[in-house]
Amino acid sequence: MNKATATQELQPGQRRDQLLLKISTDQRLPSLGIAITEVIKITSTGEESVNKLAKFILSDVGLTKDILNLANSVSYRKSQGTSVTTISKAIFILGFDVVKTSALSMLMLECFSERYQSLYYELTHSLCSSIVARECVNRSTYQDAEEASIAALFKNIGQVLMAAQDPKLYEEIMLPVKEGKETVHQSAVKHIGCSLTHFGSLVLQQWKMPDSIIQAAGLLPLADIKKTKHRSEWVKQVAAFSSDASEIVMKNTQFMRENSSEINFENEKYTKELMLKYGPALELDAKILAGWLSRAVIETQELMQRMGMRIEKADASAKPDESDSKEKSDDISLDDLMMSSEPTRVTEEIVRHPSGKPHNSRELLLAGLMEMTQTIASGKFQLNNLVLQLLEILHGSLGFQFVTASLKDAKTERYSARISLGQDWHKKQTNFNFSSKDSVDLFHLALKNNVDLMIGETSSTKIHHLRPEWHLTHFPDVKSLMILPLIVNGKPIGLIYADRNCEAPEGVPPDETSLIKAMKGQLISVMTK
């Protein structure tokens, strides 16, 4: 008996359990579940959420590039005029919720080496659902309403994983649906003994996702949907609505694998069913809904391109829907005239010195200075976020492996690292701790004399003797470093520290030094206000 025959003879429940076992033993998926759960936990940590999300993204090179590319896309860069080079700035421009859901989507895509069209389709559906949900979140008064966009993203996780892990079973379930013979629910029950939504919830439980997300991504009761005063029920309604709305968006030419046409969402036939089902409960307006769906098409397509997903285009012979046709020859935007066979990316390979320092450090520092200036001018920032932005600029522009902001604690009379980035930053942040009592070493000399130190080679006898014992013990491999004292009203309050495990004989020329000092000056200026 061959494997295919054995699979066909399995009972629906057995096929489901077999697939769940395959998912649980796939080495990629447990780490995906952990990463997703970590991102969701990060978003519920109050004021520290932005810093923690930025650090999480920066720990993954591929994810960092994807988020920066998204922030530098045409639709987001229009109001900025300059390239976005830091994750802190990307979060500021895109918005915390956009970066969060985009990161979750990118983590899912990175996990799958398979490139089935059905997988792309379902991942695109997930993206679109979260984008539609965000429209509801933006006008909601509920606390933590953004949970709805996460629930919407995972509403079809069952389909996503099935398309990735067992594309044949996925097609078996979807074929009678495409032929109009069965609903998705009916076909899924026949093949795996439960709905795809329930199957997805079983996986989310395996991943130890928060119960609130699992419940919100579940099925709505069969009764009529009514307006609710409970946030959890509202989140569940939004997730279901967003998934259904995504089904309509996905019928658009850009996304369908079969022949299709471009949709005019102002046509009532596309939104009538959504309005009848969800309108009263979510207080929807037909015109506003049409706008949401139109924006969802644009944003979903943008994200697809940035994430390298491509669904096979519909047949060129497909005719447009005559009831929706409009004259478009005069409706041309500047975006349509831009030459962009591939969108410009600011994260192309950087040429570096052996130390890791980029050859174009000056340009990167200048872009960082402009970003900090824009952030401060906006007035919409917290001090910790600004510190993180400066650390990120120094980390990327100068090729440092570890950067930290250390502040003085008057009670303990010690300087300790508070915000850090880079290689093994958790461990190094703990170990970066020293007494504030006067001593003859690099750190106290810099603080006492308010002198910025740029040391390209720590191996010289003079520099080695000035390195304190704690630094030699916990940072033995450091070959080059930088110390920027933070002096406010004549008193040292802390310092910015950065290091590499390679010597940097190329040094820091005067023009780069001036840019570094300018950014440090901006930070100190904010601290004194």
Side-chain angles (χ1 to χ4, degrees):
M1 184 183 296
N2 60 39
K3 187 176 180 180
T5 304
T7 300
Q8 290 172 356
E9 291 179 356
L10 290 174
Q11 295 297 313
Q14 291 175 312
R15 296 188 77 178
R16 177 192 65 226
D17 294 341
Q18 188 180 69
L19 183 54
L20 284 171
L21 178 62
K22 184 179 180 182
I23 291 170
S24 67
T25 55
D26 187 323
Q27 293 183 353
R28 301 166 300 175
L29 294 180
S31 59
L32 172 63
I34 292 170
I36 288 173
T37 303
E38 180 65 20
V39 171
I40 292 173
K41 285 181 179 177
I42 284 171
T43 62
S44 59
T45 54
E47 293 183 357
E48 289 297 308
S49 294
V50 173
N51 289 347
K52 289 183 177 180
L53 181 60
K55 289 179 183 178
F56 178 87
I57 292 170
L58 286 165
S59 68
D60 185 318
V61 175
L63 190 56
T64 299
K65 289 184 177 181
D66 288 337
I67 294 295
L68 288 179
N69 284 330
L70 178 61
N72 282 283
S73 60
V74 173
S75 57
Y76 287 111
R77 257 185 78 182
K78 284 178 181 175
S79 61
Q80 298 300 313
T82 57
S83 295
V84 179
T85 60
T86 64
I87 293 300
S88 305
K89 186 66 174 179
I91 294 174
F92 178 76
I93 291 173
L94 299 174
F96 184 78
D97 196 36
V98 173
V99 173
K100 173 187 62 183
T101 52
S102 299
L104 289 170
S105 305
M106 291 165 182
L107 285 170
M108 285 198 289
L109 182 63
E110 281 183 8
C111 181
F112 301 117
S113 58
E114 301 86 352
R115 290 296 179 261
Y116 304 120
Q117 284 296 301
S118 55
L119 174 59
Y120 279 162
Y121 180 83
E122 293 298 346
L123 282 170
T124 304
H125 186 286
S126 295
L127 282 172
C128 185
S129 296
S130 68
I131 288 168
V132 174
R134 201 162 61 237
E135 299 283 6
C136 295
V137 170
N138 289 341
R139 68 172 195 167
S140 171
T141 57
Y142 284 111
Q143 186 176 4
D144 299 326
E146 63 273 8
E147 188 174 78
S149 61
I150 299 177
L153 183 71
F154 293 116
K155 183 73 175 175
N156 73 323
I157 190 65
Q159 288 93 317
V160 169
L161 290 170
M162 188 172 291
Q165 295 287 319
D166 195 336
K168 183 180 178 183
L169 176 57
Y170 174 88
E171 291 300 335
E172 285 179 21
I173 292 175
M174 293 303 169
L175 182 59
V177 178
K178 293 174 185 175
E179 293 175 345
K181 296 178 181 178
E182 296 176 347
T183 65
V184 174
H185 180 84
Q186 291 169 337
S187 185
V189 170
K190 181 185 293 185
H191 285 85
I192 61 172
C194 68
S195 68
L196 289 174
T197 301
H198 179 67
F199 176 76
S201 70
L202 294 176
V203 176
L204 295 179
Q205 287 172 25
Q206 281 186 354
W207 290 353
K208 294 181 170 52
M209 292 278 278
D211 288 338
S212 58
I213 297 293
I214 297 173
Q215 293 297 322
L219 291 170
L220 281 174
L222 294 176
D224 290 342
I225 302 170
K226 297 180 180 180
K227 186 176 179 180
T228 179
K229 295 181 180 179
H230 302 287
R231 189 192 71 88
S232 59
E233 187 63 26
W234 176 85
V235 169
K236 193 169 188 174
Q237 290 175 356
V238 170
F241 157 73
S242 301
S243 184
D244 287 350
S246 181
E247 289 286 349
I248 296 174
V249 172
M250 295 295 287
K251 292 177 182 177
N252 225 37
T253 307
Q254 293 95 319
F255 312 118
M256 285 298 285
R257 291 164 287 175
E258 295 80 19
N259 290 353
S260 61
S261 57
E262 188 170 344
I263 295 174
N264 171 22
F265 294 110
E266 291 183 2
N267 190 318
E268 189 184 59
K269 72 178 183 180
Y270 296 113
T271 57
K272 185 176 181 180
E273 190 173 335
L274 280 176
M275 288 298 299
L276 288 173
K277 187 175 181 179
Y278 298 101
L282 299 178
E283 298 180 323
L284 300 176
D285 176 271
K287 288 186 177 180
I288 292 176
L289 176 58
W292 288 1
L293 299 182
S294 297
R295 284 196 295 274
V297 171
I298 297 169
E299 289 191 41
T300 303
Q301 192 171 22
E302 181 81 56
L303 275 171
M304 284 175 63
Q305 291 173 349
R306 294 292 161 184
M307 293 168 67
M309 296 197 304
R310 183 175 297 171
I311 295 176
E312 293 173 358
K313 288 283 187 177
D315 193 299
S317 62
K319 295 180 180 180
D321 187 336
E322 294 181 1
S323 65
D324 296 338
S325 62
K326 287 185 176 182
E327 290 296 326
K328 296 185 178 181
S329 57
D330 295 327
D331 187 19
I332 300 177
S333 69
L334 287 175
D335 292 350
D336 298 324
L337 302 178
M338 290 184 177
M339 294 185 296
S340 57
S341 56
E342 181 65 26
T344 301
R345 293 175 179 247
V346 298
T347 52
E348 296 174 354
E349 282 300 317
I350 296 174
V351 180
R352 298 178 182 273
H353 295 281
S355 66
K357 181 186 176 184
H359 281 200
N360 64 332
S361 286
R362 181 187 177 280
E363 289 73 18
L364 294 173
L365 287 168
L366 180 59
L369 176 60
M370 293 175 68
E371 284 191 13
M372 279 194 69
T373 302
Q374 289 176 348
T375 301
I376 294 170
S378 73
K380 301 175 182 178
F381 66 91
Q382 293 179 337
L383 181 58
N384 281 356
N385 298 343
L386 191 65
V387 172
L388 179 63
Q389 187 174 19
L390 175 56
L391 295 183
E392 194 181 340
I393 292 166
L394 297 174
H395 180 262
S397 302
L398 297 171
F400 285 112
Q401 292 170 303
F402 173 68
V403 290
T404 188
S406 176
L407 297 179
K408 183 178 181 180
D409 187 326
K411 291 183 180 179
T412 61
E413 295 187 325
R414 300 188 70 83
Y415 288 97
S416 57
R418 302 293 180 84
I419 303 174
S420 308
L421 285 178
Q423 198 176 71
D424 296 328
W425 70 268
H426 286 95
K427 180 181 178 182
K428 291 179 179 179
Q429 177 168 294
T430 301
N431 291 329
F432 198 94
N433 188 301
F434 62 96
S435 172
S436 62
K437 293 179 180 179
D438 198 14
S439 176
V440 182
D441 60 46
L442 288 174
F443 296 90
H444 285 94
L445 288 173
L447 288 163
K448 184 177 181 179
N449 297 286
N450 192 15
V451 175
D452 297 329
L453 300 181
M454 316 284 181
I455 299 171
E457 299 177 24
T458 61
S459 57
S460 70
T461 304
K462 184 178 180 180
I463 297 298
H464 181 79
H465 287 319
L466 286 173
R467 289 178 66 187
E469 188 63 34
W470 67 267
H471 193 260
L472 289 169
T473 301
H474 297 297
F475 299 81
D477 300 324
V478 170
K479 298 294 190 296
S480 56
L481 59 83
M482 177 177 71
I483 301 173
L484 307 176
L486 302 176
I487 310 298
V488 175
N489 297 326
K491 296 181 179 180
I493 64 165
L495 56 83
I496 302 293
Y497 167 86
D499 68 33
R500 310 183 192 88
N501 292 345
C502 299
E503 293 183 348
E506 66 277 359
V508 180
D511 54 349
E512 293 176 7
T513 301
S514 297
L515 293 169
I516 294 169
K517 287 180 177 292
M519 286 185 284
K520 189 188 86 164
Q522 287 185 322
L523 178 61
I524 292 174
S525 177
V526 171
M527 287 178 162
T528 57
K529 291 181 179 178

PDB file of all heavy atoms in Angstrom, residues 492-508:
ATOM      1  N   PRO A 492      27.697  65.258  35.257  1.00  0.00           N
ATOM      2  CA  PRO A 492      27.566  64.032  34.452  1.00  0.00           C
ATOM      3  C   PRO A 492      26.351  63.218  34.898  1.00  0.00           C
ATOM      4  O   PRO A 492      26.180  62.936  36.089  1.00  0.00           O
ATOM      5  CB  PRO A 492      28.870  63.286  34.735  1.00  0.00           C
ATOM      6  CG  PRO A 492      29.312  63.773  36.072  1.00  0.00           C
ATOM      7  CD  PRO A 492      28.864  65.199  36.162  1.00  0.00           C
ATOM      8  N   ILE A 493      25.496  62.878  33.948  1.00  0.00           N
ATOM      9  CA  ILE A 493      24.313  62.074  34.282  1.00  0.00           C
ATOM     10  C   ILE A 493      24.384  60.681  33.642  1.00  0.00           C
ATOM     11  O   ILE A 493      23.571  59.808  33.945  1.00  0.00           O
ATOM     12  CB  ILE A 493      23.013  62.769  33.816  1.00  0.00           C
ATOM     13  CG1 ILE A 493      22.983  62.889  32.290  1.00  0.00           C
ATOM     14  CG2 ILE A 493      22.845  64.111  34.491  1.00  0.00           C
ATOM     15  CD1 ILE A 493      21.614  63.227  31.748  1.00  0.00           C
ATOM     16  N   GLY A 494      25.352  60.499  32.760  1.00  0.00           N
ATOM     17  CA  GLY A 494      25.461  59.201  32.107  1.00  0.00           C
ATOM     18  C   GLY A 494      26.381  59.283  30.905  1.00  0.00           C
ATOM     19  O   GLY A 494      27.112  60.270  30.713  1.00  0.00           O
ATOM     20  N   LEU A 495      26.324  58.255  30.056  1.00  0.00           N
ATOM     21  CA  LEU A 495      27.162  58.239  28.857  1.00  0.00           C
ATOM     22  C   LEU A 495      26.588  57.287  27.813  1.00  0.00           C
ATOM     23  O   LEU A 495      25.772  56.407  28.131  1.00  0.00           O
ATOM     24  CB  LEU A 495      28.600  57.836  29.211  1.00  0.00           C
ATOM     25  CG  LEU A 495      28.829  56.494  29.932  1.00  0.00           C
ATOM     26  CD1 LEU A 495      28.865  55.319  28.958  1.00  0.00           C
ATOM     27  CD2 LEU A 495      30.125  56.530  30.730  1.00  0.00           C
ATOM     28  N   ILE A 496      26.995  57.509  26.578  1.00  0.00           N
ATOM     29  CA  ILE A 496      26.699  56.592  25.480  1.00  0.00           C
ATOM     30  C   ILE A 496      27.981  55.807  25.214  1.00  0.00           C
ATOM     31  O   ILE A 496      29.061  56.396  25.070  1.00  0.00           O
ATOM     32  CB  ILE A 496      26.287  57.335  24.190  1.00  0.00           C
ATOM     33  CG1 ILE A 496      25.054  58.224  24.436  1.00  0.00           C
ATOM     34  CG2 ILE A 496      26.025  56.343  23.062  1.00  0.00           C
ATOM     35  CD1 ILE A 496      23.792  57.485  24.745  1.00  0.00           C
ATOM     36  N   TYR A 497      27.869  54.489  25.176  1.00  0.00           N
ATOM     37  CA  TYR A 497      29.043  53.631  24.956  1.00  0.00           C
ATOM     38  C   TYR A 497      28.786  52.727  23.757  1.00  0.00           C
ATOM     39  O   TYR A 497      27.663  52.246  23.546  1.00  0.00           O
ATOM     40  CB  TYR A 497      29.292  52.787  26.202  1.00  0.00           C
ATOM     41  CG  TYR A 497      30.285  51.649  25.990  1.00  0.00           C
ATOM     42  CD1 TYR A 497      31.655  51.855  26.114  1.00  0.00           C
ATOM     43  CD2 TYR A 497      29.841  50.360  25.663  1.00  0.00           C
ATOM     44  CE1 TYR A 497      32.569  50.805  25.923  1.00  0.00           C
ATOM     45  CE2 TYR A 497      30.732  49.315  25.470  1.00  0.00           C
ATOM     46  CZ  TYR A 497      32.098  49.543  25.601  1.00  0.00           C
ATOM     47  OH  TYR A 497      32.977  48.518  25.397  1.00  0.00           O
ATOM     48  N   ALA A 498      29.824  52.482  22.955  1.00  0.00           N
ATOM     49  CA  ALA A 498      29.711  51.576  21.805  1.00  0.00           C
ATOM     50  C   ALA A 498      31.045  50.862  21.605  1.00  0.00           C
ATOM     51  O   ALA A 498      32.112  51.432  21.872  1.00  0.00           O
ATOM     52  CB  ALA A 498      29.342  52.363  20.550  1.00  0.00           C
ATOM     53  N   ASP A 499      30.977  49.610  21.146  1.00  0.00           N
ATOM     54  CA  ASP A 499      32.233  48.889  20.925  1.00  0.00           C
ATOM     55  C   ASP A 499      32.151  47.901  19.766  1.00  0.00           C
ATOM     56  O   ASP A 499      31.062  47.601  19.258  1.00  0.00           O
ATOM     57  CB  ASP A 499      32.681  48.180  22.208  1.00  0.00           C
ATOM     58  CG  ASP A 499      31.774  47.018  22.617  1.00  0.00           C
ATOM     59  OD1 ASP A 499      31.208  46.342  21.737  1.00  0.00           O
ATOM     60  OD2 ASP A 499      31.632  46.771  23.833  1.00  0.00           O
ATOM     61  N   ARG A 500      33.322  47.433  19.356  1.00  0.00           N
ATOM     62  CA  ARG A 500      33.456  46.384  18.332  1.00  0.00           C
ATOM     63  C   ARG A 500      34.520  45.401  18.814  1.00  0.00           C
ATOM     64  O   ARG A 500      35.385  45.746  19.624  1.00  0.00           O
ATOM     65  CB  ARG A 500      33.922  46.946  16.981  1.00  0.00           C
ATOM     66  CG  ARG A 500      33.180  48.125  16.432  1.00  0.00           C
ATOM     67  CD  ARG A 500      33.761  48.487  15.054  1.00  0.00           C
ATOM     68  NE  ARG A 500      33.294  49.771  14.573  1.00  0.00           N
ATOM     69  CZ  ARG A 500      33.882  50.931  14.836  1.00  0.00           C
ATOM     70  NH1 ARG A 500      34.981  50.942  15.603  1.00  0.00           N
ATOM     71  NH2 ARG A 500      33.409  52.058  14.357  1.00  0.00           N
ATOM     72  N   ASN A 501      34.490  44.196  18.251  1.00  0.00           N
ATOM     73  CA  ASN A 501      35.515  43.208  18.554  1.00  0.00           C
ATOM     74  C   ASN A 501      36.615  43.216  17.497  1.00  0.00           C
ATOM     75  O   ASN A 501      37.381  42.259  17.390  1.00  0.00           O
ATOM     76  CB  ASN A 501      34.897  41.806  18.646  1.00  0.00           C
ATOM     77  CG  ASN A 501      33.988  41.665  19.864  1.00  0.00           C
ATOM     78  OD1 ASN A 501      34.025  42.496  20.765  1.00  0.00           O
ATOM     79  ND2 ASN A 501      33.182  40.629  19.885  1.00  0.00           N
ATOM     80  N   CYS A 502      36.659  44.303  16.717  1.00  0.00           N
ATOM     81  CA  CYS A 502      37.696  44.467  15.684  1.00  0.00           C
ATOM     82  C   CYS A 502      38.327  45.853  15.840  1.00  0.00           C
ATOM     83  O   CYS A 502      37.653  46.808  16.252  1.00  0.00           O
ATOM     84  CB  CYS A 502      37.097  44.357  14.279  1.00  0.00           C
ATOM     85  SG  CYS A 502      36.325  42.776  13.910  1.00  0.00           S
ATOM     86  N   GLU A 503      39.607  45.939  15.509  1.00  0.00           N
ATOM     87  CA  GLU A 503      40.255  47.247  15.514  1.00  0.00           C
ATOM     88  C   GLU A 503      39.710  48.086  14.369  1.00  0.00           C
ATOM     89  O   GLU A 503      39.265  47.555  13.349  1.00  0.00           O
ATOM     90  CB  GLU A 503      41.772  47.083  15.385  1.00  0.00           C
ATOM     91  CG  GLU A 503      42.405  46.427  16.601  1.00  0.00           C
ATOM     92  CD  GLU A 503      43.920  46.346  16.486  1.00  0.00           C
ATOM     93  OE1 GLU A 503      44.461  46.580  15.378  1.00  0.00           O
ATOM     94  OE2 GLU A 503      44.567  46.049  17.513  1.00  0.00           O
ATOM     95  N   ALA A 504      39.721  49.399  14.540  1.00  0.00           N
ATOM     96  CA  ALA A 504      39.190  50.315  13.527  1.00  0.00           C
ATOM     97  C   ALA A 504      40.222  51.397  13.224  1.00  0.00           C
ATOM     98  O   ALA A 504      40.063  52.559  13.613  1.00  0.00           O
ATOM     99  CB  ALA A 504      37.883  50.938  14.017  1.00  0.00           C
ATOM    100  N   PRO A 505      41.288  51.016  12.517  1.00  0.00           N
ATOM    101  CA  PRO A 505      42.361  51.989  12.229  1.00  0.00           C
ATOM    102  C   PRO A 505      41.908  53.135  11.337  1.00  0.00           C
ATOM    103  O   PRO A 505      42.564  54.180  11.293  1.00  0.00           O
ATOM    104  CB  PRO A 505      43.421  51.129  11.522  1.00  0.00           C
ATOM    105  CG  PRO A 505      42.669  49.960  10.973  1.00  0.00           C
ATOM    106  CD  PRO A 505      41.591  49.683  11.958  1.00  0.00           C
ATOM    107  N   GLU A 506      40.752  52.956  10.639  1.00  0.00           N
ATOM    108  CA  GLU A 506      40.253  54.030   9.772  1.00  0.00           C
ATOM    109  C   GLU A 506      39.793  55.239  10.581  1.00  0.00           C
ATOM    110  O   GLU A 506      39.697  56.353  10.075  1.00  0.00           O
ATOM    111  CB  GLU A 506      39.103  53.531   8.892  1.00  0.00           C
ATOM    112  CG  GLU A 506      37.819  53.147   9.624  1.00  0.00           C
ATOM    113  CD  GLU A 506      37.854  51.732  10.191  1.00  0.00           C
ATOM    114  OE1 GLU A 506      38.881  51.039  10.006  1.00  0.00           O
ATOM    115  OE2 GLU A 506      36.855  51.318  10.803  1.00  0.00           O
ATOM    116  N   GLY A 507      39.512  55.012  11.874  1.00  0.00           N
ATOM    117  CA  GLY A 507      39.156  56.110  12.766  1.00  0.00           C
ATOM    118  C   GLY A 507      37.831  56.786  12.434  1.00  0.00           C
ATOM    119  O   GLY A 507      37.012  56.273  11.660  1.00  0.00           O
ATOM    120  N   VAL A 508      37.621  57.958  13.038  1.00  0.00           N
ATOM    121  CA  VAL A 508      36.411  58.761  12.813  1.00  0.00           C
ATOM    122  C   VAL A 508      36.865  60.153  12.400  1.00  0.00           C
ATOM    123  O   VAL A 508      37.348  60.932  13.225  1.00  0.00           O
ATOM    124  CB  VAL A 508      35.550  58.844  14.094  1.00  0.00           C
ATOM    125  CG1 VAL A 508      34.298  59.674  13.832  1.00  0.00           C
ATOM    126  CG2 VAL A 508      35.183  57.461  14.598  1.00  0.00           C
TER     127      VAL A 508
END
